Amino acid sequence: MRWSGVTTELNKLVPKKVNILSWRAELGKIPTRSVLRIKNINIGSLTCKLCDKAEETIDHLFTACQMSTYYLWSKIESWCKLPPLFAFSFRDLMVFHNSLVATKLRKELVLSVLQMTVWCIWKARNDAMFRQHRIIKEKMVDDVKMLS
């Protein structure tokens, strides 16, 4: 099932809030710092809360951020025994499972893990931004494993 032209699939294996986050992220409708700036909401620095290296966009947060790409996604690849995940955009993440030579069930499970990882990245970003929590990358991996 496709939602109004986006590639993110409705996934019955994850909570609705995770499906909604994935769908909204693919539409560019989650409030990253760059989106808030476009809406003329002054939030100070535009720098990503996870890496403090680049402007926080949807694609940066989920596919280019050092925290997500060099640590989290590589741990998920290893844990799920996946080939290297080369994603340059959020959409690339959401269609990665289709490129696998695997059963339909395995592809659905991989999509579930990808979506739960996105959820954990977003939650960690929000905790750092609004609750001043320190980012603990090992905890992010543990959260994905526990929730998936």
Side-chain angles (χ1 to χ4, degrees), residues 14-56:
V14 297
K16 284 182 185 179
K17 63 185 178 183
V18 175
N19 274 310
I20 291 169
L21 175 67
S22 299
W23 173 62
R24 290 190 71 221
E26 189 166 339
L27 291 173
K29 301 290 185 186
I30 60 172
T32 60
R33 290 171 173 257
S34 62
V35 169
L36 293 173
R37 179 192 62 201
I38 291 168
K39 293 183 178 196
N40 291 322
I41 298 172
N42 185 5
I43 43 101
S45 172
L46 297 176
T47 307
C48 172
K49 281 302 254 185
L50 299 182
C51 70
D52 286 324
K53 303 274 186 218
E55 182 176 332
E56 184 187 86

Side-chain angles (χ1 to χ4, degrees), residues 95-108:
V95 297
F96 173 77
H97 67 288
N98 292 328
S99 69
L100 299 174
V101 178
T103 65
K104 183 179 178 184
L105 176 60
R106 170 121 169 103
K107 289 180 180 185
E108 288 174 357

Side-chain angles (χ1 to χ4, degrees), residues 47-144:
T47 307
C48 172
K49 281 302 254 185
L50 299 182
C51 70
D52 286 324
K53 303 274 186 218
E55 182 176 332
E56 184 187 86
T57 64
I58 292 169
D59 289 337
H60 168 78
L61 193 59
F62 299 111
T63 65
C65 176
Q66 289 179 349
M67 178 72 75
S68 59
T69 55
Y70 297 121
Y71 186 78
L72 189 58
W73 289 119
S74 63
K75 294 290 185 187
I76 298 304
E77 289 168 5
S78 176
W79 178 56
C80 294
K81 296 177 178 56
L82 296 173
L85 200 159
F86 295 109
F88 301 101
S89 68
F90 187 82
R91 180 171 286 218
D92 291 346
L93 281 176
M94 294 297 104
V95 297
F96 173 77
H97 67 288
N98 292 328
S99 69
L100 299 174
V101 178
T103 65
K104 183 179 178 184
L105 176 60
R106 170 121 169 103
K107 289 180 180 185
E108 288 174 357
L109 292 171
V110 168
L111 176 61
S112 299
V113 172
L114 295 175
Q115 287 181 295
M116 292 308 299
T117 304
V118 164
W119 176 262
C120 289
I121 292 170
W122 186 246
K123 185 175 178 332
R125 175 258 187 204
N126 288 339
D127 286 346
M129 191 164 171
F130 300 115
R131 296 189 179 115
Q132 286 71 45
H133 287 185
R134 208 176 99 234
I135 304 291
I136 303 169
K137 54 189 179 184
E138 294 83 8
K139 183 184 180 318
M140 289 174 68
V141 173
D142 291 343
D143 287 349
V144 171

